[in-house]
Amino acid sequence: MSVRELSFAQAIQEALAQAMEVDPRVFLMGEDIGVYGGAFQVTGDLVHRFGEDRVMDTPISELGGAGVAVGAAIAGSRPVYEFQFSDFSTLAMEQIVNQAAKMRYMLGGKVSVPIVFRMPCGSGTGAAAQHSQSLEAWFGHVPGLKVVEPSTPEDAKGLILAAIDDPDPVLVFEHKLLYKIKGNVPEIMYRTPIGKAVVRRNGKDATVVASAIMVHKALEAAEALAKEGIDIEVIDLRSIRPIDGATIIESVKKTTRLACIYEGVKTLGIGAEISAMIAESEAFDYLDAPIMRLGGAETPIPYSPILEKVAVPQVDGITDALRNLVKGGF
Amino acid sequence: MPASPKTTSSIKGPNARPFYAKHNAEQLKEALRRMWLIRRFEEMAEDSYVRGLTHGTMHLSIGQEATAIGVCMDLTDKDYITSTHRGHGHCIGKGAEVRYMFAEFFGKEEGYCRGRGGSMHIADPATGNLGANGIVGGGLPLATGAALAIKQRKTKDVAVCFFGDGANNEGAFHESLNIAGVWKLPVIYVCENNQYGMSVSTARSTAVKDVATRAAGYDMPGVVVDGNSIADVNEAMMAAMERARKGQGPTLIECKTYRTKGHSRSDRNRYRSKDEIEDWKQRDPIPAFEYDLQAHGVMTAAEAKAIRAGVEKEIEEAFAFAQAGTNPTPDSLLRDIYTAGSAA
Ligand SMILES: Cc1ncc(C[n+]2csc(CCOP(=O)(O)OP(=O)(O)O)c2C)c(N)n1
Ligand SMILES: [Mg+2]
């Protein structure tokens, strides 16, 4: 089995190409995904390989474009719809939340909505408040949707392929700062299971639950703390909905301390859900310190690079917070 | 700057165009000066981006200056505009000072948005500039709403909405024009049709040849003008303003133009030919207007030179002012999310 180094963006592109090769129902829709190659060059040259009928540039019409994709999915096609920035999904909320998410349920299980929405997200590019949001928790709040958020090229490919296979709507959040990172990616078609977290680093002193770019920041913080003799376990969530409670609960029972780190706004976010889940579980009794949440500041993302940095958790802040978590108690 | 032989307009005598009849020499020269200011501002902005002095992205309107100034030159501070991601020209047209625009680029407290917004969000509400927008079509309902407020307060002001050809396929366009048509709001929709929404040509994105055709569906006049002719743009605008001020409702003006630079920094121009770009560069609106003003004796060659030199100096000083600006401090991160003193 051959494994090569690919970027996160290339890994997604390979997944899309392989899916289109084996299944004629799969096609891509989005803004500037054809000759332009996508705003982040994810679809790249695919239009030249598969033609304009399967790599379709839409007008700038998110509600219409995403909604047409939902309609095609109901009628037997397998669309992958790219939002140029996940922020623009707000224009298509109606079709995602009212239609795609609920269709199967409302119709008594008689229809499937096998659609994938690709959602470039996150801050750090200086694109300011309307191009930098992390809205994954919003969508995680909607029964009927599945929400995943890969952190590595390998999982990016595996989760895209799993999402395309999935008979229900799946949103894949792709942090824009990850597109260029490289990692080993198997050449074969494989699926990364939706709903399964993975332990990226074993440790005994505290558990960190993170996703997407925060996994990388948490691992960096963990390495720094290892030099001080502090041993952090890092869980890569991968799926926001369904969420892998078992893996987190198991880890917390072992380490007795928990921090949730995420880029989305802290209040009413993913960390609240994980904290509550632990509080409701048998792991609660094992806790030796209050649960800690590190999330995005309660603000739109600012343009100024100085402010943009402090608006989301960074490695230094994470390192300090984890040190305090391990030293602290009730 | 070589004079373009392509343009001439009658400016005196019985056939004088309204554009020349209704504006004096000072106004015309000021219009030219602002067109140069936009051009040089954007060239400097691009340069500072390439040199790594600014981050984020930016969208240049080089080649589209006649539209911005032709639309804005007769507006007052009480009239509103909403702008787009490609909004530097609109902003300068509405009277913004380039020093505060540069300061915004550099993320400084002196910037129009105090460093919070950057290129895509520059605004100056005090002068009726309700701002650029990062969302394609985002300004369409907003301008329509500003027109509603004008109607409610019973003044004779107007609201002007700039938007691109790409934006005319958003639901917000259709919903807004219908509301304005039904309520006869004093709003002027200015479509800057530069032929592409990012990489997608209007032929591939839009079911009708002219965006202006769509006005018929919302019971308002739809006019097509040469967006590279400041006279054509301005005359359509004067008619639309008169209509709006008389309570006759909205107008849609489509300005056919072209952006000679890429969509943004990431653009590799794979969707259009070099010839096409070169062709449009020959139709540069600034030398064309400069030529007209000189050919008809409104301005001498020496005056034209002085205008350019003045712009150069203004740009240099503004740039230096912005670079020396104040960086925001991290403790100001949560400022201005809510109104000070409100429950939050
Ligand atoms: C709702 C929304 N969709 C997509 C984008 C990404 N985007 C920014 S500008 C642009 C092209 C807009 O084309 P047009 O309206 O013709 O304006 P132009 O750029 O040509 O001035 C696109 C697709 C966006 N900012 N907002
Ligand atoms: Mg355009």
Side-chain angles (χ1 to χ4, degrees), chain A residues 39-55:
Chain A
F40 300 100
Q41 294 301 312
V42 172
T43 48
D45 290 333
L46 290 181
V47 71
H48 301 302
R49 281 174 64 189
F50 295 96
E52 289 188 359
D53 291 341
R54 295 184 76 194
V55 182

Side-chain angles (χ1 to χ4, degrees), chain A residues 275-290:
Chain A
S275 306
M277 197 180 70
I278 291 302
E280 287 172 342
S281 78
E282 80 259 23
F284 184 62
D285 205 34
Y286 289 73
L287 286 177
D288 284 327

Side-chain angles (χ1 to χ4, degrees), chain A residues 32 35-36 41 45 57 59-62 84 88 91 125-128 130-131 298-299 303-308, chain B residues 55-56 104-105 115-118 120-121 133-135 169-170 197-199 204-205 266-268 270 327 329 333 337:
Chain A
D32 308 287
V35 286
Y36 199 94
Q41 294 301 312
D45 290 333
D57 275 336
I60 307 173
S61 310
E62 289 77 14
Q84 198 162 86
F88 311 151
L91 282 78
T125 65
Q130 294 173 337
H131 287 73
E298 311 292 316
T299 173
Y303 166 74
S304 145
I306 295 166
L307 297 180
E308 187 182 22
Chain B
H55 81 154
E104 189 56 37
F105 272 69
R116 269 59 175 181
M120 259 192 296
H121 300 288
N133 212 306
I135 299 299
N169 295 312
E170 290 282 13
M198 212 156 150
S199 68
R204 292 177 65 221
S205 71
S266 68
D267 192 345
R268 290 181 282 174
R270 289 208 220 155
N327 285 323
T329 52
L333 179 67
I337 296 166

